[in-house]
Amino acid sequence: MGSVPALKLQQIRDGDPEALRRWFEDHVDGLYGFIYYRVGNDRQAASDVTQATFERALEQFDRYDPERGTMAAWLRVTSRNLIRDHLKTSQRAVPLQELWSRLDKVLESHFSEIDDQELPPEVLEREETRELVSMTLAALPDHYREVLDAKYLDEQSLETIARDRDTTTDSIKALLRRARAAFKQTFQTLADPEFTS
């Protein structure tokens, strides 16, 4: 469920139990799925981060603006810092060298070209890829991570991204180019600490 009627938004803000229950039920599955792959397929961690996201969202509920995007997108944005915190502190994270060793040369080649072209869907669906992408995104500066998420995760048009950031589509294209280049360098640095550009 995407948009939330103004009346229900107010009921959620007022702490109405039924409105809160419906809000949670409408969004928990999608949010959990978003988080699950970003915390290394750890069910307990995904549950914990999902719960923490709803708690954080309630604390910051007045910041939600339906004109700027759907409730689902806002919850994903809210979860990102919590996911990043988990990845930084998790003792269960797969060692990067071990993860890199599981990648074949074809996958490595795709990542080496990420600043020039998008990753094909079959690559993005691989478990090893998801883990490395999650770690790489968590390490990027916020403005790069946000524009990559908006374009490739939320599938927003360049025009929508530009409007939301009060800038031009040309500026967003340039930002995306820099963000993809930063992703490539960060990915290679994380995967191979000996790497230097």
Side-chain angles (χ1 to χ4, degrees):
M1 189 173 165
S3 59
V4 181
L7 177 59
K8 288 188 179 179
L9 284 175
Q10 189 56 51
Q11 289 173 327
I12 295 168
R13 288 188 181 100
D14 293 342
D16 178 86
E18 178 62 18
L20 287 168
R21 183 187 67 77
R22 288 294 304 276
W23 173 63
F24 178 82
E25 289 179 355
D26 285 346
H27 298 287
V28 66
D29 290 342
L31 182 62
Y32 177 90
F34 174 84
I35 292 169
Y36 176 75
Y37 292 114
R38 289 161 177 77
V39 294
N41 300 349
D42 183 326
R43 291 180 181 175
Q44 185 59 54
S47 294
D48 292 345
V49 175
T50 299
Q51 178 178 338
T53 300
F54 278 106
E55 291 170 359
R56 177 76 56 84
L58 281 175
E59 292 169 3
Q60 301 177 348
F61 209 80
D62 287 339
R63 298 184 186 179
Y64 172 60
D65 180 0
E67 298 297 319
R68 295 183 61 82
T70 66
M71 175 61 70
W74 183 70
L75 287 170
R76 289 195 299 267
V77 169
T78 303
S79 75
R80 287 174 188 150
N81 285 337
L82 297 168
I83 292 169
R84 189 166 64 247
D85 291 346
H86 168 78
L87 291 174
K88 286 178 179 176
T89 60
S90 174
Q91 298 303 309
R92 300 185 68 248
V94 178
L96 287 166
Q97 286 299 325
E98 176 187 334
L99 196 54
W100 180 251
S101 69
R102 300 197 324 242
L103 295 173
D104 58 31
K105 292 298 178 185
V106 174
L107 182 58
E108 182 179 351
S109 172
H110 281 302
F111 273 104
S112 71
E113 298 169 355
I114 193 170
D115 52 344
D116 298 318
Q117 59 188 4
E118 297 178 27
L119 291 173
E122 63 271 16
V123 172
L124 291 171
E125 289 167 4
R126 293 178 59 165
E127 179 180 353
E128 297 92 340
T129 307
R130 289 195 302 264
E131 293 176 32
L132 278 169
V133 167
S134 294
M135 288 185 230
T136 303
L137 286 172
L140 286 179
D142 288 347
H143 64 296
Y144 285 159
R145 188 177 62 256
E146 287 167 6
V147 75
L148 288 170
D149 281 346
K151 178 71 170 71
Y152 299 111
L153 178 68
D154 299 334
E155 298 181 352
Q156 295 180 7
S157 67
L158 293 174
E159 291 76 14
T160 298
I161 299 170
R163 187 185 67 241
D164 287 348
R165 286 159 179 76
D166 194 25
T167 188
T168 65
T169 54
D170 285 341
S171 294
I172 293 300
K173 286 179 184 177
L175 180 59
L176 277 167
R177 279 195 300 273
R178 293 194 301 273
R180 286 195 299 268
F183 182 100
K184 173 186 174 181
Q185 183 173 10
T186 302
F187 176 88
Q188 291 173 315
T189 302
L190 286 174
D192 181 3
E194 304 276 323
F195 170 80
T196 54
S197 58

